[in-house]
Amino acid sequence: MCGIVGYIGYRDASSVLIKGLKRLEYRGYDSAGIALLDTKLEIYKTKGKVARLAEIIPSGLTHKVGMGHTRWATHGEPTDINAHPHLSPSGNLAVIHNGIIENYGSLKEALIRQGHTFHSDTDTEVLIHLVEEIKVNERTTLEEAVRLALNQVIGAYALVILSRDEPSKLIAARKGSPLVVGYGEPGEFFLASDATPIIEYTRKVTYLNDGEMVFIKDGTLTIKTIENVEKSPYMQELEINLDAIEKGGYEHFMLKEIYEQPKSVLDSFRGRVFVDQGVFRMRSLQEYEEKLRTVNRVVMLGCGTSWHAALVGEYLFEELARIHTEVEYASEFRYRNPVINKNDLYIAISQSGETADTLAAVMLAKKHDATVFGICNVVGSSIPRLSDAGAYTHAGPEIGVASTKAFTSQITVLTLLALALADLRGAISKEQLIVYLKELERIPDKVEQTLKLNDEIVEIAKKFKDARNFLYLGRGVNFPVALEGALKLKEISYIHAEGYPAAEVKHGPIALIDEVMPVVFIAPKSGHYGKIISNIQEVKARRGIVIAIVSNGDEQIREMADHLIEIPDTEEIFSPLLTTIPLQLLSYHIAVMRGCNVDQPRNLAKSVTVE
């Protein structure tokens, strides 16, 4: 959940690190720090955001080696002392760390018995003490001390270590938390949690695998496993553009990413289907055609917004392809004893491709010889590399912590898969398939039309920015949209909100409805239209305030609703791609009006790479 960056080369290291940390700040922003190395090791760190760190760093620094960290607290409160980097007892070694050392308690007790004194509340400080203890007692090299220490560690880590005694060296390692190596000019290397700090300098990268260590010394790079087996680095080209990680004139990344959805939805299916012929062109489908034709059950795995996308997928797979589909919270799936059949298909959904619980669920499924299909946004991330097959969403970098374009891109890919499986299994006629695909082609334009409702939504936001509670209700494929709408409002405005199936309103939530309770109905024309009108009437009978998202020209709900948001008409299966847009805008504007930091909401980080 933290962001780390390292540099060794010919540039001013402090400038590279601060710029990199600002781009990684979506991963954590409660404290930050850097370590700079030449003849001595200098540490600057503070509670607060990277901008505050930048203020305390002296000007005119010329260090060519360094590392930086932006923190999302796990062990220990956000304080100056708990901020990274952390030093060894002698002050010769420094470490930055993303992850959790699960057995830090027992390691700490053993080190205290050996005379160690700790200054922070973090698990990370234990790690650097352990490295130095091994180095001194075993009289070994720093590389070997790090390797031996990591063999004692239980948990997840991406880390970088510097030594005052070896100023031309960087050591890094990963297990369960992402780490990428960037190759700059000859003798120049970058390390980072993801590619965003690197693309300004290079497009050549290596994504480290679990259990791998990197040793950069005197301009050369070596990769070994923690079992001391040397590995050949696999270098690949980044496809991200620098413009994609800048705000581009928008006030917030979240608003920019909401407005990028016509393009991101299009990019999620463009080139993957010949619409007029109803023919799919996805290599992953072709390679597993027989498996997909005969699969009896699909299990979708996700967390947070990705779990909501999976719920939409469940409706689509069962409706279109007639495949029994289940949706699992990855965090629950991995810790019980689930029935995993090797003939089932497991679909893992994660924007980052590094979500810790989803990654562990994938490993569990593969342990039982199940086939795993990954749907991720970040090329080269862990879940795609572990999956048997998969599809990238091609949404582009998503910097805002609250997911927007990743959600609609995930739904687009799931829709495409559901249609492809329906065709493959003979559950849909070619004529109906082409009708659906032609409508899918029109969806990006309809998303663009929906975004033009922004000014109307601003006016609604003004009325409800001080509400204390919201209720979101939807039916069928739009029930997950209700969940997602409530999550967005909670995440960025800190207003309590709940999403429910509209049919369940009488089973408890109706007790909450009064004249100050805003109730958001996701109510486009659908097979459930008559039922949801009854639900609206039930709310109005109790003086509830109704905000309704409806299809263009809906006069029946207009007569009942207090506020109406009309979206373009579409096939019911595609409606989540449109109904979710007004909910994103409503949450955004309410949060801004309440003075909230929508890109960096409190207590949250973008990628949950630790438990």
Side-chain angles (χ1 to χ4, degrees):
M1 304 272 275
C2 306
I4 65 176
V5 59
Y7 177 75
I8 186 167
Y10 66 91
R11 306 175 200 265
D12 168 23
S14 63
S15 297
V16 173
L17 297 176
I18 291 297
K19 187 179 292 186
L21 289 179
K22 287 179 178 178
R23 290 181 177 158
L24 286 173
E25 200 165 18
Y26 68 89
R27 301 181 66 92
Y29 33 88
D30 59 43
S31 58
I34 64 170
L36 299 169
L37 181 63
D38 48 23
T39 56
K40 61 179 181 177
L41 183 60
E42 297 182 36
I43 304 291
Y44 303 94
K45 61 181 185 175
T46 181
K47 176 184 176 181
K49 296 182 182 294
V50 176
R52 184 174 175 182
L53 172 67
E55 292 173 355
I56 68 171
I57 297 174
S59 59
L61 298 177
T62 59
H63 304 76
K64 307 305 179 188
V65 182
M67 61 187 186
H69 186 273
T70 179
R71 184 171 184 246
W72 187 86
T74 49
H75 290 89
E77 294 181 4
T79 63
D80 291 355
I81 291 174
N82 287 334
H84 297 212
H86 289 287
L87 292 171
S88 64
S90 69
N92 287 335
L93 305 178
V95 65
I96 56 176
H97 168 226
N98 173 27
I100 291 180
I101 307 302
E102 295 177 8
N103 63 332
Y104 86 101
S106 58
L107 293 173
K108 187 173 186 177
E109 289 176 6
L111 289 165
I112 289 172
R113 287 195 297 270
Q114 294 168 21
H116 288 249
T117 300
F118 293 89
H119 304 285
S120 77
D121 302 315
T122 69
D123 54 338
T124 302
E125 189 184 6
V126 175
L127 177 60
I128 199 64
H129 278 241
L130 178 62
V131 170
E132 185 164 271
E133 178 72 19
I134 292 173
K135 184 176 185 296
V136 171
N137 284 352
E138 303 275 341
R139 297 182 180 179
T140 188
T141 63
L142 177 59
E143 290 94 330
E144 182 67 3
V146 173
R147 189 184 73 81
L148 292 173
L150 293 181
N151 275 283
Q152 295 185 37
V153 163
I154 298 171
Y157 53 78
L159 58 88
V160 184
I161 291 176
L162 291 177
S163 171
R164 185 174 63 183
D165 297 332
E166 300 180 77
S168 63
K169 179 184 293 183
L170 277 177
I171 297 177
R174 76 150 285 182
K175 179 184 178 185
S177 293
L179 193 63
V180 59
V181 181
Y183 304 85
E185 300 297 328
E188 181 183 41
F189 298 93
F190 303 84
L191 295 162
S193 297
D194 62 43
T196 54
I198 291 176
I199 59 173
E200 182 173 345
Y201 309 103
T202 181
R203 294 186 176 276
K204 297 178 180 179
V205 299
T206 293
Y207 290 92
L208 294 185
N209 295 310
D210 268 2
E212 288 185 343
M213 304 173 64
V214 174
F215 306 101
I216 302 170
K217 182 179 180 181
D218 297 326
T220 62
L221 179 144
T222 304
I223 296 178
K224 292 183 179 181
T225 68
I226 60 173
E227 289 80 27
N228 208 31
V229 177
E230 189 163 341
K231 307 285 285 188
S232 297
Y234 172 69
M235 191 182 299
Q236 60 188 86
E237 291 278 335
L238 290 173
E239 298 178 359
I240 305 173
N241 293 318
L242 187 60
D243 289 347
I245 60 171
E246 304 293 342
K247 288 182 182 176
Y250 287 91
E251 185 178 355
H252 298 97
F253 279 110
M254 182 180 178
L255 187 61
K256 178 193 178 203
E257 288 153 9
I258 289 172
Y259 274 86
E260 286 176 339
Q261 287 175 109
K263 182 179 185 300
S264 59
V265 168
L266 175 62
D267 289 345
S268 295
F269 69 82
R270 181 169 55 185
R272 288 174 163 168
V273 61
F274 295 106
V275 171
D276 292 336
Q277 293 81 36
V279 175
F280 294 89
R281 190 176 66 177
M282 296 176 69
R283 187 177 64 184
S284 54
L285 295 179
Q286 295 166 348
E287 291 176 353
Y288 285 84
E289 183 172 316
E290 189 56 37
K291 170 79 174 181
L292 297 173
R293 196 189 304 275
T294 59
V295 65
N296 291 322
R297 183 178 70 145
V298 171
V299 180
M300 297 188 184
L301 305 165
C303 298
T305 288
S306 295
W307 185 77
H308 295 159
L311 287 176
V312 175
E314 179 182 23
Y315 282 94
L316 299 176
F317 273 55
E318 294 196 340
E319 172 70 23
L320 297 171
R322 308 303 301 151
I323 301 174
H324 172 57
T325 305
E326 300 173 11
V327 177
E328 296 273 4
Y329 278 114
S331 54
E332 290 296 319
F333 179 85
R334 64 175 291 198
Y335 283 117
R336 68 172 203 267
N337 187 21
V339 177
I340 300 176
N341 298 312
K342 66 179 181 180
N343 293 324
D344 294 339
L345 176 66
Y346 288 79
I347 299 180
I349 307 171
S350 166
Q351 189 281 138
S352 67
E354 303 289 353
T355 309
D357 287 320
T358 308
L359 191 55
V362 166
M363 293 176 181
L364 180 60
K366 289 186 68 67
K367 183 179 177 181
H368 290 81
D369 298 321
T371 300
V372 174
F373 190 99
I375 297 178
C376 300
N377 188 36
V378 180
V379 176
S381 54
S382 295
I383 289 175
R385 286 188 286 159
L386 276 174
S387 299
D388 299 290
Y392 287 113
T393 56
H394 299 304
E398 189 178 65
I399 307 300
V401 167
S403 185
T404 52
K405 65 177 181 175
F407 178 63
T408 48
S409 293
Q410 289 167 350
I411 291 175
T412 303
V413 171
L414 287 167
T415 303
L416 203 63
L417 288 175
L419 289 168
L421 289 176
D423 180 49
L424 187 64
R425 295 163 68 92
I428 191 173
S429 68
K430 188 64 76 173
E431 293 75 18
Q432 183 60 56
L433 174 64
I434 292 172
V435 168
Y436 280 144
L437 290 175
K438 287 185 175 180
E439 177 61 14
L440 181 60
E441 269 194 320
R442 291 187 281 267
I443 289 297
D445 288 337
K446 293 185 177 184
V447 173
E448 191 81 58
Q449 294 173 44
T450 305
L451 288 166
K452 293 177 181 178
L453 301 171
N454 180 69
D455 290 348
E456 294 178 33
I457 294 168
V458 168
E459 294 305 311
I460 296 172
K462 288 177 182 176
K463 290 180 169 64
F464 298 105
K465 65 182 177 63
D466 296 319
R468 298 186 64 181
N469 300 282
F470 266 76
L471 188 62
Y472 289 72
L473 300 174
R475 281 182 177 260
V477 74
N478 279 296
F479 155 54
V481 175
L483 296 177
E484 176 63 13
L487 177 62
K488 284 290 135 321
L489 190 68
K490 282 185 280 195
E491 284 180 314
I492 63 172
S493 75
Y494 319 136
I495 294 173
H496 174 256
E498 294 297 333
Y500 269 89
E504 289 293 302
V505 72
K506 291 190 291 291
H507 296 271
I510 201 167
L512 300 172
I513 294 171
D514 57 21
E515 64 274 10
V516 297
M517 167 71 86
V519 183
V520 180
F521 278 92
I522 298 95
K525 287 289 177 69
S526 69
H528 306 283
Y529 184 72
K531 299 291 186 184
I532 208 158
I533 284 178
S534 296
N535 295 133
I536 294 174
Q537 290 169 334
E538 290 164 354
V539 169
K540 291 305 295 178
R542 288 152 182 86
R543 296 185 295 173
I545 302 168
V546 171
I547 304 168
I549 298 171
V550 301
S551 301
N552 271 337
D554 189 317
E555 295 300 326
Q556 193 168 356
I557 294 181
R558 178 182 295 277
E559 295 178 0
M560 295 181 284
D562 298 276
H563 303 278
L564 206 69
I565 301 172
E566 296 183 74
I567 62 172
D569 199 12
T570 188
E571 297 280 353
E572 184 175 0
I573 62 168
F574 300 125
S575 61
L577 293 169
L578 303 182
T579 56
T580 194
I581 306 297
L583 303 184
Q584 294 171 351
L585 288 169
L586 182 64
S587 298
Y588 171 80
H589 289 300
I590 286 176
V592 170
M593 291 173 190
R594 290 166 64 89
C596 302
N597 187 337
V598 296
D599 283 340
Q600 298 174 352
R602 68 187 183 202
N603 302 333
L604 296 178
K606 182 66 178 173
S607 303
V608 184
T609 58
V610 297
E611 295 182 55

